[in-house]
Amino acid sequence: MNRAYDVVIVGGGPAGSTAGYLLSKSGFKVLLIDKSTFPRHKLCGGCITDKTVKLLERVFGVTADDLKKNGVINFESSRYEIFCKDKLLSKRDSPAPFYFVERYIYDNFFLRKAQQAGTEVIEGERCTSFDISGSKVTTSTGRMFEAKVIIGADGFNSIVRQSFTGFDQRKWNENLAVALEIFVNRCDVKRQIDCPTLFFDFIEFGYAWIFPNKDRLTIGMCGLNKINRKTILRSFNNFLTAVGFRDLENLKSYGYYVPYGNFLLKPVYKNALLLGDAAGFADPLLGEGVFFSQRSAELASQVIMEAFENYKNAEGFHSYIETKYVDALQKNIYEELAYANKIRNVIFLYLSKFRYYPLKIAMDLFGDKAIEAIHGIRSYRWLRKLQ
Ligand SMILES: Cc1cc2nc3c(=O)[nH]c(=O)nc-3n(C[C@H](O)[C@H](O)[C@H](O)COP(=O)(O)OP(=O)(O)OC[C@H]3O[C@@H](n4cnc5c(N)ncnc54)[C@H](O)[C@@H]3O)c2cc1C
């Protein structure tokens, strides 16, 4: 048996590093284990919204300017465009900039912040099994670590989640999206894109995107897996041809899954909590997950700190974590995800029938309000202004 910790975090993406940072800064003994050695790649569009930048300032004390100086943010745009096939539906200035990052830089930056705050980090070692009741984590090298709390921040294929009694894989599969992406150096293409551009009608229950970066474009597509699993590659190639990137069809594409409305309503079991993709916390409308991974980490860390402060006996400790984490998610995350889900269904079930033309009308009618909801300035719920 190796040393015992207050908290063991499985996974060092944005969720794990945020929890590690906050808990270590408050004096807890934290171990974070990741199967990869950082900097590591993570398939992503790398689009960061205003609500994420505000969270980074609140949690880590770093501003957008700091992130630009450190090379974490490499591009920003205050404009966006939305198309249905090749027809422009909306082109507007955004009330706040969209920022773009390379995930290998972003994730490494925040993992090192956690390490500097005192989190002990083991890289390149996979966690292979959990004894939730006994509070033990075993890794691929056979090492075993004990902790009062286990955090599953191990992404979409979370094995911490799979060790939860009662986890329903079939229900989880119902609402997940399949995604494809290619990365193109700007110098290799004539068409240059300098603002986030979304394209509807190339895939059912999903959309395609071109996101700008300093040196390259990220071109991707995602859609509900149960409808698009077998056809997404064809849809993606049709999209590339239609937007003038036909010669990119042979470029290597990368695929992965995105939680797309399959968030868990109780991502906690005994002393183990799930954050970010492991719990399915991505916006069901656009698949934005970086914010929700870091926000869930912020909420979970607060609850864990309070539990350590107030409860010495295991029973009270566990039930406090369970009740308070679910409460915090209810107030801060679930409502937004549920309303984003409703809007998603209206767009893809009904507006798609009219070639998304009503979306153009809605965008004209609501002006900046819809984009403010994506940035977290407004709630998805009736587009009411947030504080
Ligand atoms: C194609 C695509 C495009 C996307 N675009 C965007 C976007 O533009 N903006 C946005 O906000 N979101 C986007 N997302 C979603 C976003 O990438 C995720 O929501 C986000 O990465 C979740 O962060 P996380 O920390 O929960 O998990 P992850 O970032 O997946 O990190 C999990 C970590 O756990 C580690 N791990 C996994 N299993 C184990 C194990 N057994 N033992 C030890 N370590 C383990 C992994 O190595 C990894 O480092 C996109 C997703 C996809 C697939």
Side-chain angles (χ1 to χ4, degrees):
M1 171 71 69
N2 283 32
R3 282 180 301 152
Y5 293 84
D6 293 321
V7 182
V8 169
I9 302 171
V10 185
S17 58
T18 304
Y21 176 82
L22 283 170
L23 291 164
S24 300
K25 217 172 66 142
S26 295
F28 291 93
K29 194 162 178 273
V30 183
L31 172 69
L32 184 154
I33 308 170
D34 200 293
K35 64 179 182 179
S36 304
T37 303
F38 284 62
R40 60 95 178 91
H41 282 280
K42 159 73 182 82
L43 200 62
C44 188
C47 181
I48 298 296
T49 52
D50 190 56
K51 59 184 181 290
T52 319
V53 170
K54 285 188 177 132
L55 178 146
L56 298 177
E57 188 165 356
R58 181 173 70 239
V59 170
F60 293 95
V62 290
T63 61
D65 281 342
D66 298 330
L67 294 170
K68 283 184 228 168
K69 271 187 217 131
N70 282 287
V72 178
I73 290 176
N74 71 58
F75 200 88
E76 73 177 89
S77 169
S78 292
R79 238 171 1 101
Y80 66 90
E81 294 180 5
I82 301 176
F83 287 80
C84 173
K85 289 264 165 63
D86 56 354
K87 210 161 120 216
L88 185 68
L89 292 182
S90 184
K91 176 181 181 172
R92 296 179 71 92
D93 286 332
S94 169
F98 289 100
Y99 296 103
F100 294 90
V101 303
E102 294 281 6
R103 282 292 299 276
Y104 73 95
I105 297 176
Y106 186 90
D107 291 16
N108 189 50
F109 182 84
F110 291 108
L111 182 64
R112 300 307 162 210
K113 287 265 172 215
Q115 209 166 17
Q116 283 153 19
T119 302
E120 195 180 316
V121 176
I122 298 177
E123 295 174 61
E125 201 162 322
R126 181 187 291 270
C127 297
T128 49
S129 64
F130 305 94
D131 170 0
I132 303 277
S133 308
S135 262
K136 293 182 191 82
V137 176
T138 309
T139 71
S140 45
T141 60
R143 290 204 278 179
M144 194 188 274
F145 300 97
E146 198 179 327
K148 211 159 176 203
V149 176
I150 296 170
I151 289 182
D154 48 342
F156 180 81
N157 285 317
S158 170
I159 65 163
V160 181
R161 180 184 69 237
Q162 284 160 35
S163 69
F164 277 26
T165 304
F167 167 65
D168 184 344
Q169 185 71 48
R170 273 222 311 239
K171 207 165 156 203
W172 175 262
N173 291 348
E174 262 302 286
N175 252 334
L176 64 94
V178 58
L180 275 185
E181 262 187 350
I182 56 173
F183 303 94
V184 188
N185 292 327
R186 280 183 179 276
C187 56
D188 293 335
V189 285
K190 277 205 208 97
R191 184 174 180 187
Q192 294 297 326
I193 293 201
D194 290 316
C195 69
T197 309
L198 305 189
F199 298 85
F200 290 102
D201 218 19
F202 284 106
I203 184 167
E204 267 186 80
F205 246 89
Y207 69 102
W209 64 86
I210 304 181
F211 287 164
N213 229 282
K214 186 165 148 274
D215 301 318
R216 64 182 196 175
L217 301 177
T218 303
I219 307 180
M221 175 179 268
C222 78
L224 206 57
N225 183 56
K226 62 184 176 191
I227 305 176
N228 297 292
R229 188 176 54 242
K230 292 190 180 134
T231 51
I232 187 165
L233 191 56
R234 199 169 61 229
S235 308
F236 192 51
N237 285 338
N238 290 341
F239 160 63
L240 290 177
T241 304
V243 295
F245 287 134
R246 189 188 182 143
D247 43 344
L248 300 180
E249 279 183 21
N250 294 327
L251 208 70
K252 184 170 169 42
S253 59
Y254 299 86
Y256 202 55
Y257 293 107
V258 188
Y260 207 46
N262 46 351
F263 49 93
L264 303 185
L265 292 175
K266 204 180 147 218
V268 49
Y269 175 63
K270 294 190 176 165
N271 57 334
L273 304 88
L274 302 174
L275 315 177
D277 271 14
F281 295 153
D283 177 338
L285 181 57
L286 295 175
E288 178 193 7
V290 173
F291 169 76
F292 293 100
S293 66
Q294 297 190 282
R295 182 72 177 124
S296 55
E298 189 186 16
L299 298 171
S301 303
Q302 184 59 40
V303 169
I304 292 167
M305 289 179 215
E306 288 164 11
F308 270 103
E309 202 176 301
N310 296 322
Y311 293 92
K312 297 286 166 247
N313 69 322
E315 209 176 298
F317 185 83
H318 294 162
S319 88
Y320 186 86
I321 285 187
E322 184 175 314
T323 319
K324 293 291 177 182
Y325 185 43
V326 173
D327 275 0
L329 292 170
Q330 189 64 45
K331 283 192 198 104
N332 297 282
I333 290 187
Y334 288 150
E335 190 176 68
E336 284 306 292
L337 296 186
Y339 273 85
N341 209 10
K342 284 182 189 164
I343 296 172
R344 192 261 312 255
N345 289 341
V346 170
I347 292 177
F348 294 131
L349 283 174
Y350 303 111
L351 306 196
S352 62
K353 291 190 179 17
F354 305 97
R355 304 273 71 87
Y356 295 93
Y357 190 70
L359 185 62
K360 175 181 168 47
I361 299 175
M363 296 293 293
D364 290 347
L365 205 67
F366 292 127
D368 289 339
K369 287 184 182 157
I371 294 296
E372 284 181 356
I374 290 167
H375 278 303
I377 298 165
R378 284 180 190 274
S379 167
Y380 278 121
R381 187 179 182 185
W382 315 126
L383 298 180
R384 70 170 197 272
K385 192 119 183 157
L386 292 170
Q387 291 308 312

